[in-house]
Amino acid sequence: MLNLERLRTLDALARHGSVSGAAEGLHVTTSAVSQQLSKLEREVGQQLVTKRGRGVRLTDAGMLLADHAARILSQVELAQSDIEAQRGQVVGEVRITGFPTAARGLFPATVSALRRDHPDLSVRTRELEPEPGIHHVVRGDVDVAVVLDWSNKRLPVPEGLTRVHLLDDIADVALPADHPLAGRAELDLAELADDEWVSWPEGEACRDWLVFTLRSAGVEPRIAHTAYEHHTQLVLVRAGLGVCVTPRLGRDPVPDGVVLVPLRHRLHRHIHAAWREDADRRPSVRAAVEALRAAGEAAARAGGAVAAAGG
C-alpha cells in the first residue's frame, strides 16, 4: 500500500520543482524529503527522481505517480472537509497569508478572535505578496490568502478559487512637511509631475501599478529611491528624498515631518480573502474568513482609516 505522506512529498516536489521548495512547502528538512522519496521508490520498485544539474527532475514514472498523488490528496482533503463539516467543529490548523500592510492591519485582530472563539484551532500566518499568496492557495500550501487589486488594475483569480471582499483601502500621497503642496486639502497626481518618487523595487506588482497610474495621469515617474516597506518609504519622504503613494491600512504610525494629502480622484485598493472552492465546507476556513471580514469591518470603522467595504 502506498504511504500517504510519501505521496504528499512527491506531490510537493512536482508542484515546487525542487527538493528545497518541497521542503519549505512541507515545513521539513531537505534530508527528510530525500528520505521519503527514497522510501517511495523502494515501495513502487521504480526510479521516480533523477538528477538534473544541481537539482532533480521527475522520471516518467515519477510524473505518472505524481499525477495520481495530486488526485489522491485532493480526495483526502475533500474527505477531511466533509468530516469537519459533519462534525461542525472548528478544529485542526488553518494557514493564512497576507501582504505586509494586511498582515499589520488585519492579522492581529483576526488571530486574536480565532484564538478566543476557537481555542482548539491552530492558526498559522505568513507574510506574502498577493500573487505568491494566490499560487500557494492553488498549490494547497495555504488555506486562505489576503490579496488586493487596485480600482484601476485588477488581480486575476484562477478558476477553482472563491474570494470575498473584505474592505476598500484608500491611498493618499505622502509629502515632506516643507513641500509646496503640503498645505493642500487634496491634489491631483499631475501636480507632482516634477517630483521624484519613492517606490517599490523593480519587478514588484505595486511598482508596476504606480508607474501605470502615474502615466495614466500624464506623469512620467522619476523613481529615485526604492523600499519594500511603506514605513521605510515614509522615512525617506520625511528626509525630503521624494513623495510616495501610501495606503491607509496598517500605515500608522506616520513619522513626524510627513504630511498626508488625499487625492482628488481617489485611488482604492480592493482587499479580498481567497481560498479553494473545495475547502468551502471546512469550518476552520469559514471561521478564518469570518474573522478576516470582522477585522476588515473594524478597520473600516477605525477613524476613517479606510473606506467602508464597497465604498
Side-chain angles (χ1 to χ4, degrees):
M1 181 178 295
L2 295 172
N3 180 281
L4 188 61
E5 287 308 310
R6 288 165 199 158
L7 290 178
R8 197 181 304 278
T9 301
L10 181 66
D11 176 67
L13 178 65
R15 288 186 285 107
H16 292 280
S18 68
V19 171
S20 59
E24 181 181 355
L26 294 169
H27 307 291
V28 299
T29 64
T30 55
S31 175
V33 169
S34 297
Q35 290 174 16
Q36 290 283 59
L37 291 172
S38 295
K39 290 178 181 178
L40 184 59
E41 287 183 327
R42 288 198 294 272
E43 284 181 351
V44 300
Q46 293 195 61
Q47 184 178 6
L48 303 175
V49 177
T50 185
K51 289 186 178 181
R52 181 180 61 184
R54 294 184 178 180
V56 298
R57 66 173 179 83
L58 294 176
T59 63
D60 289 345
M63 288 187 287
L64 177 64
L65 186 56
D67 186 52
H68 283 289
R71 293 198 296 271
I72 291 168
L73 293 170
S74 177
Q75 285 300 119
V76 169
E77 180 165 339
L78 285 172
Q80 290 173 333
S81 297
D82 285 343
I83 290 296
E84 275 191 39
Q86 193 274 337
R87 186 169 49 185
Q89 295 176 340
V90 181
V91 296
E93 180 180 84
V94 66
R95 301 155 298 175
I96 309 172
T97 67
F99 53 93
T101 49
R104 254 195 324 268
L106 298 179
F107 282 8
T110 298
V111 177
S112 295
L114 288 171
R115 284 182 172 179
R116 181 192 66 234
D117 298 336
H118 309 289
D120 293 327
L121 178 67
S122 175
V123 184
R124 299 286 181 265
T125 64
R126 180 181 176 187
E127 191 176 284
L128 274 180
E129 292 295 340
E131 289 188 9
I134 288 290
H135 293 324
H136 277 267
V137 170
V138 170
R139 291 201 306 248
D141 302 329
V142 166
D143 298 305
V144 181
V146 179
V147 300
L148 67 89
D149 54 24
W150 290 88
S151 52
N152 60 342
K153 196 165 187 178
R154 295 306 179 99
L155 174 72
V157 174
E159 291 185 10
L161 297 190
T162 298
R163 71 176 182 178
V164 66
H165 181 227
L166 300 178
L167 70 154
D168 285 346
D169 186 16
I170 297 173
D172 302 309
V173 173
L175 309 172
D178 60 356
H179 192 283
L181 300 177
R184 294 278 295 277
E186 58 183 15
L187 54 79
D188 291 316
L189 285 174
E191 297 179 81
L192 300 170
D194 296 329
D195 284 271
E196 291 187 333
W197 285 83
V198 179
S199 180
W200 297 266
E202 286 189 27
E204 291 295 309
C206 287
R207 180 189 175 115
D208 294 341
W209 165 81
L210 178 65
V211 170
F212 168 81
T213 300
L214 290 174
R215 286 175 175 166
S216 297
V219 177
E220 184 58 35
R222 294 188 296 135
I223 297 174
H225 306 281
T226 63
Y228 286 101
E229 286 286 337
H230 286 284
H231 284 181
T232 305
Q233 294 181 13
L234 291 174
V235 170
L236 294 172
V237 170
R238 179 181 64 183
L241 302 180
V243 302
C244 75
V245 168
T246 178
R248 297 180 183 181
L249 179 68
R251 183 170 65 192
D252 292 336
V254 176
D256 293 336
V258 174
V259 174
L260 302 171
V261 181
L263 289 163
R264 184 170 291 111
H265 301 288
R266 295 290 176 91
L267 292 173
H268 293 85
R269 299 192 303 178
H270 304 297
I271 299 176
H272 310 271
W275 65 97
R276 293 184 306 281
E277 290 176 355
D278 59 16
D280 261 338
R281 289 170 286 183
R282 289 179 55 194
S284 57
V285 170
R286 294 201 303 268
V289 172
E290 286 307 309
L292 284 166
R293 291 181 70 170
E297 290 171 1
R301 293 192 301 266
V306 290

